[in-house]
Every structure is written in structure tokens, then in C-alpha cells.
């Protein structure tokens, strides 16, 4: 086990992006108050129209930043990360507003992260709100684990960013989220960059969060996510730009085919044409793409 004295010396900040999150924020922040390992919290509110900001300000340990517009996930997190870097924290725990933790959740992931500098993204197990079954998306990613490093640590190629612990060393090497993404795909791009710089993504099995979300199909959301998947392919520095273009074009064909089990023929064709148009747009913006790829190295 990691030395408890050393563990409590670690400065940990929790960064939460909020948007109309009044349904969850009390439970989320109350659980953070009960953390065995003390934490600071920076909350970036994306111009909520409910009383999210009022709830945040009820918790003295939360530093609140109010954005005048909805910046999306990545850009809002970048604000919190930059603020926290200036305050010289050791670990940066990105946590969704619709989650809550156990008292030992953060202590256990920090203990694992502190033992290996190559653990770039460290995530707990993600459970559903029933606190018993695994979150469906998380379970899908976790089953793709490539290595059981120890009894409590599994290496995975990717885990969704509902709960990511990042080290200061990782952030200084990899940087923040890519601003070309709006609300989807930025975690996939970041994971690709983590791999490029030879860091590992791991899940800690004795650490838990609970994620209160319902996954539903929405055509416009699926189209947007498909586009950002293509963007992530051309930005992926683990292969060259030409390979990225090929992989992106393959998605123009493959993604509508995949979604054919959810949508009508007309919607599938609509998705195809929208993705084809987006692919052409990506090629036209090759200078921006190449500049971003260069910045990751």
C-alpha cells in the first residue's frame, strides 16, 4: 500500500463543468465533501439557465467560474485546468456533474497514480445510479482491457472522461483538450495523445463513481458524434495524416451502416451525405489539421 503520510501530501483538485445540473450538484458536491483525501473544487458553469450557480456557491470549498456562453466540455475544462496548474496542484480529477463518489474513491486512484508516473489517465470503476450495475458505456470500454497490471489495476485503450485523474506531469507533456472539438470527441483525441506520449490509461478496481445518466438515441447527436469521430481520426498522431484521412473516409461508409439498425433508410442516407460533406470540409482545412497535429508532438 502507498504510504498514507505521502498520500495526504498530494494536492488534488476536482474540476467540474456544469450546465443546468441542479438535479445532481448537491449529491455530487456532498460526496466530495466526504472524501477521505481532502480536495479543492473548481467548477466552470457553461451559462446554466437553472439554479446551478446558486447551488455551487453554497459550498465554500468550490471556486466558481461563470462563462457567458456554453463552451462545451473540453474548452470549459481547459479553463479549470489552467487555473489549477497556476495553483500548482499535483493531481487533476475531471468529474462529471451527474456523478457522485465514495469517500475513498479519490484516495484510491491517487494512490495508484502516485506509484507509476506512466499512468497518464487513471479512472475509477463507473457504476450506474443503482450503485450495483456497471455503466453500460464504461463496461464496454473496460472489457477491452489489454493488460491486468495488478489485482486492482487494468490497462485499457480508452475510458470515457466522466472521471479522469490526470497528473501534473501528464498535463505539462500532453497539454489541454483540443479546441477544435465542441462537446464530443475531445476525450478520444486526448486519449490518442496520451498514448502517443507513451502514457498508460488505467482503471482502478477498488475505486468507484456512480454516473446518473440515461443513454438514448438522438439522430442529430449521433451525426455530430460521427463527425467528431472522423475529426479524431485525422488528428490522431499515432498514425500519419494520410492514414487518418483514409480512416475518416471509412467512417463515411461505416457509421451510416452501423446506425441503420436504429434509423430509417432516409435518415441513414442523410447521415451519409452529411458525413461526406464533413469529410470534404476536413480535407479543405488540412492546414488547420496539420498545425494541430504538429502541436501534439
Amino acid at each position: 500500500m502507498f504510504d498514507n503520510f505521502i498520500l495526504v501530501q498530494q494536492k488534488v483538485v476536482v474540476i467540474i463543468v456544469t450546465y443546468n445540473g441542479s438535479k445532481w450538484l448537491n449529491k455530487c458536491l456532498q460526496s466530495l465533501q466526504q472524501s477521505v483525501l481532502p480536495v479543492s473544487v473548481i467548477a466552470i458553469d457553461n451559462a446554466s439557465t437553472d439554479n446551478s450557480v446558486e447551488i455551487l456557491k453554497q459550498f465554500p470549498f468550490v471556486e466558481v467560474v461563470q462563462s457567458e456562453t456554453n463552451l462545451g466540455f473540453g474548452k470549459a475544462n481547459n479553463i479549470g485546468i489552467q487555473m489549477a496548474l497556476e495553483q500548482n496542484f499535483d493531481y487533476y480529477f475531471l468529474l462529471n456533474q451527474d456523478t457522485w463518489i465514495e469517500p475513498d474513491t479519490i484516495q484510491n486512484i491517487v494512490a495508484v497514480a502516485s506509484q507509476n508516473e506512466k499512468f497518464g489517465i487513471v479512472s475509477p470503476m463507473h457504476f450506474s445510479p443503482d450503485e450495483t450495475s456497471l455503466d453500460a458505456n464504461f463496461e464496454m470500454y473496460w472489457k477491452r482491457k489489454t493488460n491486468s497490471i495488478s489485482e486492482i489495476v487494468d490497462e485499457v485503450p480508452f475510458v470515457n472522461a466522466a472521471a479522469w485523474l490526470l497528473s501534473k506531469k501528464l498535463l505539462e507533456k500532453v497539454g489541454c483538450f483540443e479546441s477544435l472539438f465542441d462537446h464530443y470527441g475531445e476525450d478520444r483525441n486526448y486519449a490518442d495523445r496520451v498514448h502517443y506520449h507513451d502514457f498508460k490509461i488505467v482503471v482502478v478496481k477498488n475505486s468507484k463513481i456512480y454516473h446518473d445518466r440515461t443513454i438514448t438515441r438522438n439522430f442529430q447527436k449521433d451525426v455530430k458524434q460521427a463527425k467528431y469521430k472522423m475529426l479524431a481520426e485525422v488528428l490522431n498522431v499515432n498514425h500519419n495524416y494520410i492514414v487518418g484521412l483514409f480512416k475518416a473516409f471509412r467512417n463515411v461508409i461505416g457509421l451510416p451502416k452501423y446506425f441503420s439498425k436504429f434509423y430509417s433508410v432516409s435518415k441513414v442516407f442523410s447521415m451519409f451525405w452529411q458525413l461526406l460533406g464533413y469529410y470534404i470540409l476536413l480535407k479543405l482545412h488540412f492546414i488547420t489539421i496539420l498545425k494541430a497535429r504538429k502541436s501534439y508532438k
Side-chain angles (χ1 to χ4, degrees):
M1 289 295 294
F2 195 77
D3 186 275
N4 284 334
F5 175 75
I6 297 176
L7 187 60
V8 298
Q9 302 307 305
Q10 306 298 328
K11 289 180 60 181
V12 182
V13 61
V14 180
I15 299 172
I16 304 174
V17 174
T18 62
Y19 177 72
N20 290 347
S22 59
K23 175 182 177 181
W24 303 286
L25 283 174
N26 274 308
K27 191 167 188 177
C28 177
L29 295 170
Q30 286 167 5
S31 72
L32 290 170
Q33 276 185 318
Q34 296 168 14
S35 174
V36 173
L37 188 64
V39 297
S40 300
V41 177
I42 297 175
I44 301 88
D45 185 75
N46 267 335
S48 292
T49 57
D50 65 1
N51 63 331
S52 291
V53 172
E54 287 75 11
I55 293 172
L56 291 169
K57 290 182 176 179
Q58 291 174 9
F59 292 84
F61 71 117
V62 179
E63 185 175 359
V64 183
V65 178
Q66 293 178 249
S67 172
E68 295 182 357
T69 59
N70 190 339
L71 299 172
F73 177 81
K75 294 174 188 175
N77 264 304
N78 286 350
I79 292 174
I81 290 169
Q82 291 291 352
M83 290 176 59
L85 282 169
E86 291 173 5
Q87 298 175 44
N88 201 32
F89 284 94
D90 299 303
Y91 291 98
Y92 304 69
F93 189 37
L94 312 187
L95 188 66
N96 276 19
Q97 66 178 358
D98 55 355
T99 65
W100 62 95
I101 70 168
E102 294 282 356
D104 64 354
T105 295
I106 298 175
Q107 172 182 267
N108 291 347
I109 56 174
V110 170
V112 167
S114 300
Q115 293 178 64
N116 192 328
E117 290 186 345
K118 281 299 180 181
F119 289 170
I121 297 173
V122 182
S123 185
M125 300 289 287
H126 301 199
F127 284 82
S128 298
D130 62 14
E131 301 190 354
T132 302
S133 58
L134 288 173
D135 175 82
N137 273 7
F138 169 81
E139 185 174 19
M140 175 182 66
Y141 298 129
W142 182 48
K143 284 183 176 178
R144 296 173 183 170
K145 54 183 174 283
T146 56
N147 184 23
S148 290
I149 296 173
S150 71
E151 289 185 2
I152 63 167
V153 181
D154 286 337
E155 183 177 359
V156 294
F158 177 78
V159 62
N160 48 305
W164 277 8
L165 183 76
L166 311 176
S167 67
K168 183 179 180 183
K169 180 178 180 179
L170 176 85
L171 288 167
E172 289 175 342
K173 188 69 175 179
V174 179
C176 292
F177 287 105
E178 172 57 64
S179 60
L180 291 175
F181 294 88
D182 182 12
H183 187 65
Y184 305 110
E186 55 270 91
D187 54 351
R188 177 69 65 177
N189 169 264
Y190 200 84
D192 290 337
R193 290 153 56 196
V194 166
H195 287 304
Y196 177 80
H197 287 285
D198 199 31
F199 288 93
K200 298 180 185 297
I201 301 173
V202 299
V203 169
V204 180
K205 291 184 281 189
N206 68 345
S207 180
K208 299 178 181 179
I209 64 151
Y210 306 102
H211 196 176
D212 185 13
R213 62 171 176 172
T214 302
I215 301 171
T216 58
R217 292 258 71 91
N218 176 283
F219 180 70
Q220 289 306 323
K221 176 183 174 182
D222 285 335
V223 170
K224 190 172 187 179
Q225 287 183 317
K227 289 179 178 179
Y228 282 133
K229 187 176 189 300
M230 293 166 61
L231 176 59
E233 292 287 13
V234 297
L235 288 172
N236 189 347
V237 285
N238 294 291
H239 49 61
N240 66 47
Y241 173 62
I242 300 301
V243 172
L245 283 175
F246 171 76
K247 288 177 175 287
F249 183 74
R250 193 168 59 180
N251 285 326
V252 174
I253 309 296
L255 289 173
K257 183 178 178 181
Y258 168 78
F259 284 112
S260 64
K261 56 188 173 183
F262 302 112
Y263 298 117
S264 66
V265 173
S266 62
K267 283 194 171 183
V268 170
F269 271 103
S270 173
M271 177 180 285
F272 167 77
W273 288 114
Q274 289 185 63
L275 296 188
L276 181 60
Y278 187 71
Y279 176 76
I280 294 169
L281 195 64
L282 287 176
K283 293 189 72 174
L284 291 173
H285 286 83
F286 69 95
I287 294 177
T288 300
I289 299 297
L290 292 174
K291 184 177 179 181
R293 287 174 60 93
K294 184 178 180 180
S295 72
Y296 302 156
K297 298 181 180 181

